[in-house]
Amino acid sequence: MKLVKWIIAIVVVLIAAPFVFLYLFQDRLLYPGAAAVDAFGDLTITRPDLTLHGWVLHPDADDALVVFGGNGMSLSGFASRLGQCSDRAIYLLPYRGYEGQAGAPRERDLIGDGMALVDEVAKKHTNVAIVGISLGSGIATEVAAQKHPQRLLLVTPYDSITHVGSEAFGIPLGWLVRDHYDAAAAAARLGSLPVYVLQAINDQVISSARTEALVRSLPRPPVRWDRVQAGHNSILRTDEFCRALRF
């Protein structure tokens, strides 16, 4: 009888172990952080609980891009690439806890920070477009649904981080994760906003099923949907990405 109990206990532990691991380490997996390669510039956004800092490229341009990066992206390290691809004003505000930024990342806060940033940018520029890359595509879509920019570019986007995680780990995660980033629900509220989708054919992080599910959620087809022969990160080094920033 004791042997049976021991066997049952071992089975329970083996079943529970991956769920416990994911629950305890989900923030490290979703928000690994990024190091800054440059000191903060003149961009300052005041929020109720803290002050955020970042950079502005080409600040005197009439039109602007607000960029939401991937979960491991250093915006300061990527700034030169963005500046070479577009002569618009480019606003880069690292997520909380990234690149020396104060605070810790949480979905609600990152979306709120993004909306505050877009409000500030809209005071200074005639046209404002939003760019979302990987994790940032979910933030960008929610911010766009609420702030109605001139256009939205989504690079390696997904329908829900919960679905991305469930695919990656082979177990249902909806009840386990704290931050869901339901981009599909936000996409359904975009109305007539022009959306450009840039998908990596060889993406090993965001599957084609996740991007296609997001596109199906749009109220109307994207004005452009480019499938690029590249991987999840290497797509950022392609000519297609550079051209898309001029959309």
Side-chain angles (χ1 to χ4, degrees):
M1 192 66 179
K2 289 183 178 180
L3 179 60
V4 173
K5 290 181 179 179
W6 273 108
I7 292 173
I8 293 173
I10 291 171
V11 170
V12 170
V13 169
L14 291 175
I15 293 173
F19 294 98
V20 173
F21 171 82
L22 290 172
Y23 179 78
L24 294 176
F25 292 95
Q26 60 180 287
D27 286 349
R28 294 187 187 182
L29 294 169
L30 186 56
Y31 305 115
V37 301
D38 200 1
F40 285 127
D42 296 331
L43 177 61
T44 300
I45 300 295
T46 301
R47 301 287 290 135
D49 57 335
L50 48 72
T51 298
L52 300 168
H53 303 276
W55 304 269
V56 185
L57 311 180
H58 317 143
D60 296 327
D62 290 333
D63 299 340
L65 298 176
V66 176
V67 179
F68 297 98
N71 72 331
M73 178 181 287
S74 169
L75 290 178
S76 57
F78 196 54
S80 61
R81 168 67 170 164
L82 293 168
Q84 291 166 2
C85 290
S86 176
D87 58 4
R88 295 172 181 167
I90 301 175
Y91 284 76
L92 306 173
L93 187 72
Y95 301 139
R96 296 176 182 223
Y98 280 59
E99 303 188 60
Q101 198 77 273
R106 281 268 74 85
E107 178 182 5
R108 181 180 64 181
D109 292 327
L110 300 190
I111 290 171
D113 296 343
M115 291 193 292
L117 174 59
V118 170
D119 284 342
E120 189 65 25
V121 174
K123 296 175 185 177
K124 303 174 181 178
H125 300 276
T126 306
N127 297 303
V128 178
I130 293 177
V131 180
I133 301 168
S134 191
L135 174 70
S137 67
I139 300 170
T141 304
E142 180 59 43
V143 171
Q146 298 194 45
K147 292 300 177 180
H148 314 292
Q150 273 65 47
R151 58 191 69 83
L152 174 64
L153 168 62
L154 300 176
V155 183
T156 61
Y158 54 86
D159 58 339
S160 162
I161 279 294
T162 302
H163 293 157
V164 172
S166 295
E167 277 190 354
F169 293 101
I171 55 177
L173 296 178
W175 57 277
L176 188 68
V177 298
R178 285 185 284 267
D179 292 345
H180 295 262
Y181 292 103
D182 190 350
R189 310 194 323 269
L190 290 175
S192 60
L193 178 70
V195 178
Y196 188 152
V197 175
L198 202 60
Q199 179 180 355
I201 293 175
N202 303 317
D203 198 324
Q204 295 181 329
V205 179
I206 308 295
S207 72
S208 59
R210 302 278 56 85
T211 298
E212 290 163 6
L214 173 77
V215 171
R216 288 196 299 271
S217 300
L218 294 169
R220 66 177 192 176
V223 295
R224 185 160 180 170
W225 182 1
D226 289 348
R227 299 165 178 85
V228 184
Q229 195 68 250
H232 186 75
N233 293 319
S234 62
I235 193 172
L236 303 176
R237 299 189 293 271
T238 64
D239 292 339
E240 289 87 349
F241 172 76
C242 218
R243 285 195 296 268
L245 289 179
R246 305 182 188 114
F247 159 60

